[in-house]
Amino acid sequence: MTIRIATVAIATLGVLVADVAWPGTRSDSEFLNQGTIGNTRHNLSQRQTAGGGPTGSQMDAVRNNYQQVCVYCHTPHAANQNISAPLWNRTVRSTTYTLYNQQSLSQEATQPGPNSLTCLSCHDGQTAVDSIVNMPGSGKYNAALALNPDTSTTKALLDAWSTTDDAFDHFGLKDNNTECLSCHSPGGQGGAQDFSAFAIGTDLRNDHPVGVKLPSGSDWNVPSGTYKNVRFFDTDGDSRPDKEELRFYDSGQGYEVECASCHDPHGVPGATASFLPTFLRVTADGSQICLTCHVK
Ligand code: HEC
Ligand code: HEC
Ligand code: HEC
Ligand code: HEC
Ligand code: HEC
């Protein structure tokens, strides 16, 4: 297997942090985590009061504030055609991931499919969270951002968004003390919350396998529903894959587990008013999510 080593420009924060008054360390999210994605951590436009969430003005230095929640991931027109994902607006690099392949696995895991690459377009840390093809406003479409691997070019394109709202720099969810994690890691600057666990990186060996099919045998529950390219546990029997139903995606290699098998990035209502934690489709309480697929 070939492992592509990503070269990422290391930004320095020296100037940025010098004259800002920082709040103390917080561990809980200020987002309500209910009702709409605008109230979740996937609201990357967090100063927009209509969408809820904390003020987050510190972020303006490190990502464009597009003042729209959806636009960081979707666009109504001119979506990125390089990935089979709904009206996808984000840069998706061509990357070879290091896969989970323990001896015990009954198969060779395959490279993440589109229903994982969407998530990894932020969570592998290679791409700035505001790197999108079609920025809000007339004439802001730029095809070069679809899979542009060059960070200086990307930065120039992102900088061109607006003369007043430019980020000082464009940061990604990176797993070392640069970019977003320069503040969002233990001991990070400003006492910001620790996001280390969210920085998945390009090495997936320590993550639940994706790109794996459901093996046969008594160790597994078999999903009953099929709809287009999705096979799902049809718990309410309506023959449609609902957000609270775990699923497998077929992107040409059979029905496989991907990130979106277990997570819905918009939030899923649970038994209480709040969304289930960590964007899960099924609660992790009592390991219910695991036992939906695994018979253990
Ligand atoms: C210069 C330090 C700094 C950098 C760099 C930084 N942040 Fe923050 N961030 C903070 C601080 C401090 C807070 C807490 C205060 C607040 O909410 O504004 C915060 C809060 C947040 C929150 C709200 C968390 C919650 O659930 O309440 C999000 C989301 C966030 N940051 C995302 C990001 C992303 C994404 C990046 C990289 C593009 C980033 N931050 C880079 C300092 C930083
Ligand atoms: C953080 C990224 C992100 C944001 C922000 C986001 N989405 Fe999505 N959305 C996704 C991903 C990823 C998928 C594909 C999920 C899958 O693989 O099944 C998706 C799928 C969808 C779909 C089709 C499938 C479904 O789940 O219904 C719709 C409709 C949708 N999003 C609407 C929205 C709207 C409207 C907003 C803003 C209010 C929004 N999304 C914000 C990431 C996002
Ligand atoms: C536009 C960039 C972006 C995309 C695309 C994206 N995320 Fe995130 N996600 C973030 C950032 C940034 C955070 C860090 C936390 C925050 O912003 O407060 C986060 C946080 C999370 C968390 C932790 C939430 C919590 O409350 O603990 C989970 C789980 C998560 N994302 C899963 C996913 C999955 C699964 C997908 C794809 C279906 C996805 N994300 C797509 C940017 C993204
Ligand atoms: C088989 C189900 C499953 C798959 C597939 C899966 N996750 Fe998760 N993920 C979970 C569960 C369960 C949690 C909650 C763990 C916890 O509460 O500590 C979680 C937590 C997370 C978190 C928050 C980290 C933390 O410890 O708080 C992020 C970010 C995340 N997942 C992203 C992803 C991404 C990106 C992918 C695809 C590469 C993915 N997940 C694939 C089940 C899954
Ligand atoms: C959507 C279905 C699904 C869910 C939900 C799920 N898994 Fe899996 N899991 C799989 C599949 C498929 C494999 C690949 C099995 C194989 O090929 O041997 C796998 C593999 C694993 C492996 C690796 C086994 C090995 O031989 O190395 C472990 C451990 C595991 N899962 C634990 C969990 C845990 C813990 C949870 C809950 C947090 C969970 N799984 C949720 C489908 C799922």
Side-chain angles (χ1 to χ4, degrees):
M1 169 200 317
T2 48
I3 301 168
R4 180 175 169 275
I5 309 294
T7 39
V8 181
I10 308 291
T12 53
L13 273 166
V15 187
L16 182 63
V17 296
D19 55 1
V20 187
W22 298 109
T25 302
R26 283 204 333 261
S27 55
D28 293 334
S29 176
E30 284 192 8
F31 290 106
L32 288 172
N33 200 36
Q34 54 181 253
T36 158
I37 187 173
N39 294 329
T40 75
R41 283 177 155 167
H42 276 162
N43 179 357
L44 298 175
S45 181
Q46 52 188 300
R47 292 184 73 191
Q48 179 201 17
T49 47
T55 56
S57 55
Q58 287 90 345
M59 252 49 69
D60 289 354
V62 297
R63 60 95 177 88
N64 287 332
N65 180 6
Y66 297 126
Q67 300 169 329
Q68 296 179 20
V69 177
C70 312
V71 77
Y72 291 87
C73 294
H74 304 288
T75 175
H77 304 286
N80 190 342
Q81 297 280 315
N82 297 304
I83 180 168
S84 171
L87 295 173
W88 200 242
N89 202 15
R90 298 190 49 72
T91 306
V92 178
R93 288 160 194 263
S94 158
T95 303
T96 302
Y97 293 90
T98 309
L99 304 176
Y100 180 103
N101 265 319
Q102 300 285 346
Q103 296 283 328
S104 50
L105 208 62
S106 73
Q107 57 190 306
E108 287 279 314
T110 57
Q111 287 291 320
N115 307 86
S116 294
L117 293 174
T118 46
C119 314
L120 291 165
S121 75
C122 280
H123 283 277
D124 74 5
Q126 295 192 95
T127 306
V129 299
D130 58 355
S131 187
I132 56 173
V133 184
N134 199 10
M135 298 183 204
S138 175
K140 300 296 184 194
Y141 168 76
N142 200 320
L145 282 167
L147 36 70
N148 194 330
D150 179 80
T151 46
S152 61
T153 310
T154 303
K155 185 175 181 315
L157 293 170
L158 292 172
D159 280 343
W161 181 60
S162 144
T163 50
T164 50
D165 295 294
D166 279 358
F168 180 89
D169 222 325
H170 303 277
F171 281 5
L173 264 180
K174 225 164 140 19
D175 63 348
N176 56 12
N177 282 339
T178 58
E179 312 216 13
C180 301
L181 272 71
S182 59
C183 295
H184 288 284
S185 54
Q189 299 174 66
Q193 294 164 56
D194 182 11
F195 289 176
S196 316
F198 309 159
I200 304 269
T202 57
D203 184 345
L204 305 180
R205 283 176 298 184
N206 58 350
D207 300 296
H208 188 285
V210 294
V212 284
K213 289 190 262 297
L214 194 66
S216 54
S218 56
D219 262 3
W220 301 95
N221 292 316
V222 180
S224 58
T226 306
Y227 184 83
K228 295 187 177 173
N229 70 329
V230 178
R231 187 160 284 174
F232 59 103
F233 291 96
D234 193 7
T235 48
D236 64 358
D238 71 349
S239 304
R240 299 285 294 240
D242 302 313
K243 57 168 67 179
E244 70 280 3
E245 291 170 345
L246 298 181
R247 73 274 302 273
F248 298 79
Y249 293 91
D250 184 2
S251 53
Q253 294 170 309
Y255 294 96
E256 295 186 327
V257 178
E258 303 289 358
C259 306
S261 295
C262 299
H263 297 278
D264 183 321
H266 315 94
V268 178
T272 66
S274 295
F275 289 148
L276 295 171
T278 50
F279 300 111
L280 291 175
R281 294 185 185 276
V282 168
T283 180
D285 286 354
S287 299
Q288 284 177 51
I289 185 168
C290 318
L291 295 170
T292 305
C293 293
H294 292 267
V295 177
K296 284 283 177 231

